[in-house]
Amino acid sequence: MKKFVRIVGVFALLCCLFGAAGCGNKYNAELFNDAEQWVREDFLRENRVKAFYPNENYDENDEQSESYIYDEAAPLSRTFIISDEETFNEISTGDDFSVDFDNEMLLLYIFPKMYPRNYILKKIIVEGRKISVSVEIEKRNVNDAAMPSQSCLLVKMDRIEIDSAEFIEQ
């Protein structure tokens, strides 16, 4: 009986070791939170999402004037595949962010953020020429919701051939 238990134990240990080895980051993907710091302001203005924005026509002397307005006409989110230097230069501020486009690419996700928390990269699935990136917000036991504001997530990863990308918030 001891021999049987020992064999089962060794088998379980091997399964854990090989299982963990297979769970690596297949695409060497790295998630960057609050990535709007690397995105040009004019690009963000042109690619608004359903969120609150400072009212450019706000008049502090007018009681009816609102300091923030909600953009109802914008889409819920926007996703961009950045796979070449030209596109990168159109979007990026160029500050302290380098990409080797021969071997790497970026995925930019613009969305309305309601919680001042970071997101965690959960998984990446590629089916044909479509990539699905699943992210999850950090869990906290606090009531820290705020009005939705435009935010960005950026994924830097190995270059692959894709035509479309989606982000899934879990």
Side-chain angles (χ1 to χ4, degrees), residues 6-163:
R6 202 175 301 157
I7 290 171
V8 169
V10 169
F11 181 74
L13 179 64
L14 288 173
C15 286
C16 289
L17 288 174
F18 287 114
C23 292
N25 188 340
K26 183 176 179 181
Y27 302 102
N28 294 312
E30 186 175 359
L31 177 69
F32 297 91
N33 283 275
D34 302 319
E36 55 273 10
Q37 65 184 317
W38 295 302
V39 180
R40 293 169 44 146
E41 286 183 33
D42 59 331
F43 184 83
L44 289 173
R45 259 193 316 277
E46 293 167 6
N47 291 284
R48 289 167 54 142
V49 294
K50 284 187 188 292
F52 283 92
Y53 298 90
N55 184 354
E56 295 172 2
N57 300 316
Y58 174 64
D59 180 0
E60 62 185 36
N61 298 318
D62 180 0
E63 290 181 11
Q64 301 297 318
S65 186
E66 299 286 336
S67 57
Y68 287 88
I69 55 174
Y70 185 74
D71 190 343
E72 293 180 23
L76 189 57
S77 66
R78 296 177 187 263
T79 305
F80 298 90
I81 301 167
I82 307 167
S83 58
D84 59 69
E85 194 78 34
E86 183 179 338
T87 306
F88 178 72
N89 291 335
E90 291 173 6
I91 294 173
S92 171
T93 60
D95 296 339
D96 298 325
F97 203 88
S98 63
V99 183
D100 173 11
F101 285 107
D102 289 332
N103 300 306
E104 299 172 318
M105 63 186 292
L106 301 172
L107 302 174
L108 175 65
Y109 179 55
I110 305 174
F111 68 106
K113 186 174 182 178
M114 296 187 336
Y115 298 96
R117 305 179 202 166
N118 286 331
Y119 282 79
I120 301 161
L121 181 63
K122 296 305 283 185
K123 67 180 173 181
I124 294 177
I125 297 173
V126 177
E127 292 178 341
R129 295 180 64 88
K130 178 182 178 183
I131 189 167
S132 299
V133 179
S134 295
V135 295
E136 182 177 74
I137 195 164
E138 287 179 331
K139 299 205 183 335
R140 292 188 197 155
N141 291 328
V142 294
N143 295 324
D144 59 352
M147 65 181 181
S149 61
Q150 185 182 43
S151 189
C152 299
L153 295 177
L154 188 69
V155 174
K156 183 177 182 181
M157 60 181 287
D158 289 344
R159 183 180 185 87
I160 58 173
E161 294 300 319
I162 54 171
D163 296 324

